[in-house]
Amino acid sequence: MTDTTKCPTCRSEHAYQDRDLWVCPECGHEWSTTADAAADATIEAGVRDANGNALADGDSVIVIKDLKIKGSSSVVKGGTKVRNIRLQDATDGHNIACKIDGIGAMNLKSEFVRKA
């Protein structure tokens, strides 16, 4: 099977063609094999904050709401500034790895931060 028929999102080989689109039955992603569709997909890709701003490694972000820390009684307060973030691919939605002063290393979801 060629790379054009594999799902660009989950790399599944079970994709099938539906008229002019390819459909992945595993993740539900639809795409076209033309170059224009591939260019659009790369523009949409990437990690974005709660306001829709693109994030990159090394950026500083601000937590927008109080976040409970799982397995602990402490809380990351809204307004906490986090410096030098690292972006990661995570299936559970925690796509930002960082260190927070007083708490330590943890992962955050990009939907709960805004770019500083």
Side-chain angles (χ1 to χ4, degrees):
M1 182 170 272
T2 64
D3 281 342
T4 58
T5 57
K6 287 185 180 179
C7 177
T9 305
C10 69
R11 306 302 299 163
S12 171
E13 296 181 356
H14 302 291
Y16 61 91
Q17 192 168 10
D18 184 22
R19 296 184 191 200
D20 58 343
L21 292 177
W22 286 88
V23 179
C24 177
E26 293 183 12
C27 69
H29 180 71
E30 297 179 351
W31 73 97
S32 176
T33 56
T34 62
D36 294 334
D40 292 341
T42 56
I43 292 171
E44 293 176 8
V47 177
R48 301 205 175 265
D49 68 358
N51 295 331
N53 298 320
L55 296 174
D57 286 342
D59 281 348
S60 294
V61 295
I62 297 173
V63 178
I64 59 172
K65 67 180 249 181
D66 292 352
L67 300 174
K68 294 180 183 177
I69 299 174
K70 189 174 185 178
S72 175
S73 61
S74 56
V75 174
V76 177
K77 294 286 187 178
T80 302
K81 187 170 186 177
V82 181
R83 294 181 182 92
N84 198 18
I85 64 169
R86 293 177 314 280
L87 302 179
Q88 60 187 11
D89 293 330
T91 57
D92 63 348
H94 293 86
N95 49 9
I96 297 174
C98 62
K99 286 185 182 177
I100 298 178
D101 294 335
I103 296 174
M106 66 182 311
N107 295 332
L108 297 172
K109 291 184 178 182
S110 60
E111 63 194 55
F112 298 123
V113 298
R114 68 175 170 88
K115 198 168 186 176

